[in-house]
Amino acid sequence: DAKTTQPNSMESNEEEPVHLPCNHSTISGTDYIHWYRQLPSQGPEYVIHGLTSNVNNRMASLAIAEDRKSSTLILHRATLRDAAVYYCILRRGSWGKLQFGAGTQVVVTP
Amino acid sequence: NAGVTQTPKFQVLKTGQSMTLQCAQDMNHEYMSWYRQDPGMGLRLIHYSVGAGITDQGEVPNGYNVSRSTTEDFPLRLLSAAPSQTSVYFCASSYRGLGVRQFFGPGTRLTVL
């Protein structure tokens, strides 16, 4: 299965944008890019997913490189509530399982 | 909707004891799964089910049993608890495939002494 590489941690100031990178150089054509986040002492929460085109929803934006070997999750205005571990995950086709890595710990400073 | 619920929230067992972690969802999701999360690590898939009566193994199934007699419930059984099973356990459900947006429960923190 294709793997993802994320930085261990990132810091941001409140109300500033956060750009979370993810490398997935071995991605295949049928792999979807998913992002989940996990707030302290809670279960993971779906953030966004995409295949080839950039995606936006109320929580975040997902920018996918043209060659699909990397992607960036964008939190437009970080709040203290966005402090969490963010996981970039590849899902193979329509039925593939989610494989979680260690993720990126996002710290938001007031 | 209550979403995905898990009981208990915390549990302490002695080595060799057995217990069942409960998971229920009220969203009529076909797909349910169990994950474990060890400190500082991501989640690992234990078992999953694509519908009532159908289950399959995930990445780390040893020491765990599951069954799916109804759409709503997916219990996880520890047959003979071991200290290596100390972890936080999460149940999840989704409409279609395992990789489509999953809804996670709040977790059960299990300690095996």
Side-chain angles (χ1 to χ4, degrees), chain B residues 66-85:
Chain B
V66 292
S67 60
R68 184 99 178 267
S69 56
T70 67
T71 299
E72 295 78 19
D73 301 298
F74 190 42
L76 178 72
R77 278 181 285 276
L78 281 71
L79 304 174
S80 177
S84 61
Q85 294 178 305

Side-chain angles (χ1 to χ4, degrees), chain B residues 13-69:
Chain B
L13 292 178
K14 294 182 180 177
T15 296
Q17 286 185 314
S18 63
M19 81 158 294
T20 300
L21 307 186
Q22 301 292 345
C23 174
Q25 52 90 11
D26 61 358
M27 297 174 281
N28 202 31
H29 286 169
E30 288 182 281
Y31 299 89
M32 297 185 74
S33 49
W34 276 101
Y35 296 83
R36 61 176 287 174
Q37 184 173 34
D38 299 322
M41 296 180 65
L43 281 70
R44 291 184 292 170
L45 182 64
I46 305 172
H47 284 285
Y48 64 97
S49 168
V50 299
I54 306 169
T55 64
D56 205 347
Q57 297 181 350
E59 183 185 353
V60 288
N62 292 342
Y64 308 95
N65 272 3
V66 292
S67 60
R68 184 99 178 267
S69 56

Side-chain angles (χ1 to χ4, degrees), chain A residues 6-7 9-10 14 26 30 35 38 41 48-50 55 59 66-68 74 80 83 89-90 98 101 104 108-109:
Chain A
Q6 300 178 252
S9 64
M10 292 192 72
E14 201 175 6
T26 60
T30 57
W35 285 83
Q38 188 174 20
S41 300
I48 201 166
H49 78 280
V55 184
M59 288 182 71
E66 201 167 324
D67 63 5
R68 301 211 323 127
I74 303 163
L80 297 178
I89 302 164
L90 299 183
L98 295 178
T104 297
V108 180
T109 307

Side-chain angles (χ1 to χ4, degrees), chain A residues 34 36 38 41-46 87 91 94-102, chain B residues 31 35 37 40-43 45 48 90 96-102 104-106:
Chain A
H34 282 244
Y36 281 75
Q38 188 174 20
S41 300
Q42 294 189 27
E45 173 187 33
Y46 168 85
Y87 297 99
R91 168 175 67 87
S94 300
W95 311 109
K97 306 178 187 69
L98 295 178
Q99 284 197 294
F100 287 80
Chain B
Y31 299 89
Y35 296 83
Q37 184 173 34
M41 296 180 65
L43 281 70
L45 182 64
Y48 64 97
F90 292 100
R96 298 188 292 274
L98 280 178
V100 177
R101 174 181 180 173
Q102 293 201 40
F104 284 82

